[in-house]
Amino acid sequence: MDFDFIKELGYKALDSRLKRISDRMAHDVRKFYKEFGIDVEPNWYLVFMLLQQRGVISITDIAEPLGYSHPSVVIIVKKMTEKGYLIIKKDATDKRKQMISLSPKAIEMLPQLEQIWDSCEKSILQLLSEDLSIFSYLDAIDQELKEESFHNRFKKEYLKSIQP
């Protein structure tokens, strides 16, 4: 049996464990897209869904509900636009604001993408043995970090540990 250092560390490597799982899943989704000739990145999924649901929205209206930084959404939107999946127009009232919408190419692909996403969701449910209790833990962690950042938490612990 292979030695798994991250698993061995348990809660001490929570961030690394979650990242590793996320990276594996994203890699496999990317591999699937490539296999079927679909020129889409795994991290575009939420942007596609949000725009499908809300229509024309701003970068901020994408970043906030996803909890992404503004700069990371700008990068995703730029790549999606370059591939022909998004249309960017200036806002009618505020010319500095960019309004984003799905392109005809994206709208045409949505049925196929939805079928893929549905299969992906079913696979996730299988991985979880249909036990969604992990999400209550993730929700609790999310809430705790909204109330006080991880930076503040570990800084307090560090300062306690170095005081004489």
Side-chain angles (χ1 to χ4, degrees), residues 105-151:
K105 175 183 176 180
I107 293 166
E108 186 182 314
M109 277 192 73
L110 278 174
Q112 182 185 13
L113 290 173
E114 287 171 339
Q115 200 172 10
I116 291 166
W117 299 335
D118 184 57
S119 298
C120 194
E121 289 167 17
K122 287 176 181 168
S123 299
I124 290 169
L125 271 175
Q126 287 172 3
L127 278 173
L128 297 172
S129 304
E130 300 205 18
D131 176 1
L132 303 181
S133 60
I134 187 172
F135 293 102
S136 0
Y137 293 111
L138 294 175
D139 290 345
I141 292 168
D142 233 358
Q143 188 56 44
E144 288 286 333
L145 292 174
K146 281 178 188 168
E147 291 170 14
E148 185 180 6
S149 74
F150 190 66
H151 171 266

Side-chain angles (χ1 to χ4, degrees), residues 9-146:
L9 287 173
Y11 71 89
K12 296 174 194 167
L14 175 66
D15 60 333
S16 299
R17 186 90 181 260
L18 293 172
K19 174 103 172 76
R20 181 170 74 182
I21 291 168
S22 173
D23 287 351
R24 281 180 180 164
M25 292 173 74
H27 171 77
D28 285 346
V29 170
R30 190 174 291 110
K31 183 178 171 182
F32 176 90
Y33 283 147
K34 195 172 186 175
E35 220 175 297
F36 285 85
I38 299 166
D39 196 15
V40 169
E41 286 295 316
N43 66 336
W44 298 355
Y45 161 75
L46 295 172
V47 175
F48 271 115
M49 288 187 67
L50 195 59
L51 287 167
Q52 180 186 22
Q53 196 178 82
R54 301 216 181 142
V56 182
I57 56 177
S58 69
I59 299 270
T60 304
D61 293 333
I62 295 171
E64 284 178 3
L66 298 181
Y68 291 178
S69 71
H70 193 276
S72 68
V73 172
V74 168
I75 291 167
I76 292 171
V77 164
K78 183 177 184 247
K79 287 179 181 176
M80 290 179 76
T81 304
E82 286 169 359
K83 296 288 184 182
Y85 293 109
L86 301 181
I87 295 171
I88 301 174
K89 291 183 179 172
K90 298 279 183 206
D91 185 59
T93 52
D94 182 352
K95 298 294 180 198
R96 297 168 300 166
K97 198 177 194 181
Q98 294 184 322
M99 300 307 290
I100 318 298
S101 62
L102 293 174
S103 71
K105 175 183 176 180
I107 293 166
E108 186 182 314
M109 277 192 73
L110 278 174
Q112 182 185 13
L113 290 173
E114 287 171 339
Q115 200 172 10
I116 291 166
W117 299 335
D118 184 57
S119 298
C120 194
E121 289 167 17
K122 287 176 181 168
S123 299
I124 290 169
L125 271 175
Q126 287 172 3
L127 278 173
L128 297 172
S129 304
E130 300 205 18
D131 176 1
L132 303 181
S133 60
I134 187 172
F135 293 102
S136 0
Y137 293 111
L138 294 175
D139 290 345
I141 292 168
D142 233 358
Q143 188 56 44
E144 288 286 333
L145 292 174
K146 281 178 188 168

